[in-house]
Structures are given as C-alpha cells and as structure tokens.
Amino acid sequence: MKIYNSLTKRKEDFIPLEGNKVKMYACGITVSGEAHIGHGYQALIYDIMRKYLKKAGYEVTYARNYTDVDDKIIAKSHETGIPADEYAKKMIENINTVMKRFRVDDPDLWLKATENIQNIIQFISTLIEKGHAYPTQNGDVYFDVATFPGYGKLSNRNVEDALDGVRVDNDDEKKNAYDFALWKSAKAGEICWDSPWGKGRPGWHIECSAMNREAFGEQIDIHGGGRDLIFPHHENEIAQTEALTGKQFVKYWTHNGLIKVNGQKMSKSLGNSLLLAELLENYSDEAIKFALLQTNYRNDINITNDLFPDSEKHLYEFYSTLSIVDKVMDKLRGTELTLSNEDAIRAAEIAEKVDKEFNACMDDDFNTALALSNLFGYFKEMKKLLSAGKSGDLFSALSYAVQIRKTYSLLGIFEKSAKEYIAWYEEKNLSAIPQEVQAVAEERWQARLARDWAKSDELREKLAQLGYLVKDSKTGYELIKN
C-alpha cells in the first residue's frame, strides 16, 4: 500500500510505527455553523481510509475532533445570545444528526477542546519550561517560532513567507509578528477557564496537538485534514508538538482537496455554501458519495449543476441491472440449477477479480476514482451475461452482483435494495424511463447483436405497447416516449 505524504511530496510505502497498529487522526469541524458539503466530504474520505486500512488487516484507532471553542463560536454566541458552550453543543448535535443521514460512521474516539483544557494547559506549561513559548503581561501565551528551526517544512515556507501567508495579529507583546497564540486571555463576557496566566481559552492550533498526545502519545501514523489546513494549522501543530517531544510528530500527512461550486471557491462570503442537510433533501446519500468519490481525494472537486443528477442516473442504471439479477434469481429459486465445475470456477474468479481490482485501486493512495470507473465495465459484462441466458452465465452475473455489493459497500454505495432505489428515482424523476422498459430495450439490443431479428422485432413491438419508440445507431439505441 502506498500513501501520498504531504510532508515529503511523494507516495510512500505505508509502514506503521508500531507493527500492525495504526494511529490515525483527522481534524474535524469548528462548530460555528451547520455542516456543509466540504465537512461531509472530509468526514467521508477519512472514514473510507479507516475502513480500507481495516480491510487490509491493520488494527486502526481513528480519532476526530470538534473545535467547540474559538473566535467564530464566541462571535455566534454574541450574535444569537446563546452562551458559547450551549451554542457549540447544539451545533454538534445538529452535525452528528446530518452525518448519520449521510451515513458516515463515528470515529473510534471523539475529542473536544473543552474536554481537554487541563491537557492543553499542561502542554503549554511544558513548552514555556522548555523555552519554546512565553506568557505576556496581558495573560496571553505565544509560541516562539524562532526557537523551532524546522518551521515551514510541511508547507515549504520560510518564516518570512509566513507573514504573507496568513493574517498576523501584531500584538505589541509578541516577540515576533509570526509567533502564534497558544492561550488567549479572556475578554469581558467570553467563555473562559482558569490558568497559570489568568482566565482565558486555548488558541486553535494547540487543541489538536494536546488532544493527540492525550489519545495516542507522542507520535501518530496518519494525520489528515483539508488542504487549506496545511498552513498555518498543521504547520503550527508540527512546531509545538515536535518542540515539546523532540520527535517526529506524524509519519504520514494526508490532505483532501477543496470544494468548488461552478468553478468558484465555496465560501459564505460568495453565498455559494452547500449545506449537507439541504443536499440530502434533494439527493440520495449514495449519489452524493458517488459524485464526490469520482475525483481523487487529493484534487479539488468542482460541483456543477449536473454533478449530483448525473451520479443519481448512473446509480439508477446500475441498480436497474442489479434488479434484473434479483428477478432472474427469484425465477430460478426452487428450480434445479445445473452448474458445471467450469461455471463454478468462473463465478469464483469473477468475485476474486472484482475485489482484487478494488484493492489494487485503494492500495494506490486510496484511488476511489479508478475503483468507481471499473464499475462501468463490470455492469456492461453483467448485461451480456444476463442476455446470454444460460445457467452458468446467470450464475456469473449473480457473482458480479453479490461481490460488487460486498466490496463497494466500503465506499457507502450499493447498500440499498434495487427495488427501493429504482422506485425512489422514478418517483423523483417523472421523465425517467421505467426500469421495466429499459430491461426490454436492453434485451432487444442484445438480440440485435446476436442477429436474432425475429426476437428483436418482437421486443420492438413490446416497447411500442409500453409507449416507447426505439431509434438504433451503430453504437447503441435511444428510447423515445411515444
């Protein structure tokens, strides 16, 4: 298995720090508002990584965090009149509910900043003792970037570049403009905790370092998050953690791409944020996943108006084929199905092929895009086998169907019944061609390929009775409602 490491900028063989055990952490959501599609995508990607690592035989412990205290949450508290801790709790409940609708599993460990205040204070105190941080007269504590020579190694920035890359708070008490806050002194009316430096709250970056250390110790195998977190968040995590421990903090840094909407960066200021709950009102969770996973996780995703509808249509066509398999097997149930040894071997080889090719895609830096592209070939072959109609061919088609459901469930697709998905899609899309009509049209096309003109004409007439005309071409056919 190879994983792209954002630190070294190349794919590397995956070798955990401790035998077969994998310690994995992904930065979660700052709960200043409802979950949008970017949050859903990041949660999906790291859930899939965790599941595939387990499938590959690793013993995985996966942790995610909620940032439940920060400037944005405090601003929302002032705006709504709801105390910051209550506002954060409400948002977490809402986000958990929508993630369950999206069918993304919980991590093994949920971590929250407000539940780790003492760990954070201890972490900061040790950094001060080691000379890597300093308190101010105002009760703030800053990390002294000049004491960490490796600063910038993840983002390939030097200290001077840092000034251009992030808005810097030029506090008069800071030694250098690029030093970052570990502890922020409380302002009037803000949520706060007691500390050796006075009442205050954690800075954003220190949370993840302190929670990682509490959950996993000094080193972890995989740390993930959106690419927008590379600088300054993850760069600052490296600095403060490695300054404290003297050891490499993370072996493999992974970062997913960002979401664009019709070519523009998704943001509240542009008014193009796509809330996950609203998307789930209009599209199935499987269609959203299929759409997102067609792009390699490291690349940006451009959400166009057609992206989710096209994914729903692809799934509809796949489920239509699975439905035919279900119906064929229902007819054969109770009858004696004669299979040769060759038929049984071929069916077993099909199952092995589907799973083996999926694993090969995922072993190459979790390449879901290639894994999904393979489906089109599998379903094309299934249609041929179903049209052939021999018992061995039908059994091979069944082998495809069973293994595809089993293997691709790891990506969160093909987990519904074919009947359920087809009925839902056709009710939603009144212009959709019914699955029954599609099945007849496909059977007729296979008859034409076999040059069985009599059967082709018979099925053309049946389509006419169902209210559809068929127009043939060299590469396929088109159904037109009569």
Side-chain angles (χ1 to χ4, degrees), residues 398-409:
L398 175 63
S399 184
Y400 264 119
V402 169
Q403 192 61 50
I404 285 170
R405 280 188 175 277
K406 182 178 179 181
T407 296
Y408 282 81
S409 65

Side-chain angles (χ1 to χ4, degrees), residues 297-350:
Y297 81 93
R298 290 191 285 115
N299 297 332
D300 292 345
I301 296 175
N302 185 30
I303 297 179
T304 62
N305 295 335
D306 295 330
L307 182 64
F308 297 129
D310 285 350
S311 294
E312 282 190 339
K313 185 178 180 182
H314 287 317
L315 285 173
Y316 174 69
E317 292 166 353
F318 292 154
Y319 270 118
S320 295
T321 303
L322 293 176
S323 176
I324 296 171
V325 174
D326 291 342
K327 289 174 181 176
V328 168
M329 298 317 298
D330 284 343
K331 287 181 182 178
L332 293 176
R333 204 166 274 121
T335 64
E336 291 189 12
L337 191 63
T338 303
L339 293 174
S340 66
N341 286 336
E342 289 78 8
D343 290 335
I345 290 170
R346 180 169 63 150
E349 288 175 344
I350 285 170

Side-chain angles (χ1 to χ4, degrees), residues 134-140 142 170-176:
Y134 56 92
T136 69
Q137 294 285 337
N138 292 334
D140 300 311
Y142 291 100
N170 290 302
D171 191 308
D172 289 340
E173 293 195 301
K174 288 167 68 170
K175 289 183 179 179
N176 297 292

Side-chain angles (χ1 to χ4, degrees), residues 1-3 14 24 44-60 355-368 407 410-411:
M1 181 187 298
K2 289 186 179 294
I3 295 179
F14 180 64
M24 175 176 164
L44 172 65
I45 286 299
Y46 288 100
D47 184 34
I48 287 172
M49 285 188 185
R50 179 257 302 265
K51 287 174 178 172
Y52 185 70
L53 287 166
K54 285 188 172 182
K55 183 185 182 189
Y58 295 102
E59 184 182 329
V60 184
D355 203 54
K356 186 176 181 180
E357 290 181 349
F358 178 85
N359 292 347
C361 295
M362 297 297 283
D363 282 343
D364 184 14
D365 194 33
F366 309 103
N367 195 339
T368 60
T407 296
L410 189 144
L411 303 183

Side-chain angles (χ1 to χ4, degrees), residues 175-318:
K175 289 183 179 179
N176 297 292
Y178 39 77
D179 292 348
F180 57 89
L182 301 173
W183 187 261
K184 294 187 173 185
S185 57
K187 297 177 183 176
E190 285 188 351
I191 186 172
C192 60
W193 290 265
D194 291 326
S195 81
W197 318 287
K199 291 185 180 297
R201 57 187 171 85
W204 175 32
H205 313 298
I206 193 65
E207 299 172 14
C208 291
S209 289
M211 290 188 289
N212 257 300
R213 189 164 187 249
E214 179 65 18
F216 293 125
E218 294 181 335
Q219 296 177 291
I220 63 173
D221 296 283
I222 299 173
H223 193 316
R227 195 176 63 241
D228 56 329
L229 298 182
I230 291 177
F231 188 86
H233 185 53
H234 289 164
E235 195 72 75
N236 290 351
E237 278 192 62
I238 290 174
Q240 63 204 8
T241 303
E242 296 187 2
L244 184 135
T245 66
K247 299 177 182 178
Q248 182 180 9
F249 174 31
V250 176
K251 190 170 184 182
Y252 304 93
W253 282 96
T254 62
H255 294 92
N256 61 275
L258 307 180
I259 300 289
K260 296 181 179 179
V261 180
N262 292 317
Q264 288 187 307
K265 179 181 177 181
M266 188 177 70
S267 69
K268 290 181 180 179
S269 61
L270 292 174
N272 63 355
S273 292
L274 299 174
L275 295 182
L276 187 56
E278 292 178 356
L279 284 172
L280 289 168
E281 292 295 328
N282 295 304
Y283 305 103
S284 73
D285 65 277
E286 292 197 4
I288 296 172
K289 290 171 182 172
F290 190 91
L292 298 175
L293 297 175
Q294 287 182 90
T295 299
N296 182 284
Y297 81 93
R298 290 191 285 115
N299 297 332
D300 292 345
I301 296 175
N302 185 30
I303 297 179
T304 62
N305 295 335
D306 295 330
L307 182 64
F308 297 129
D310 285 350
S311 294
E312 282 190 339
K313 185 178 180 182
H314 287 317
L315 285 173
Y316 174 69
E317 292 166 353
F318 292 154

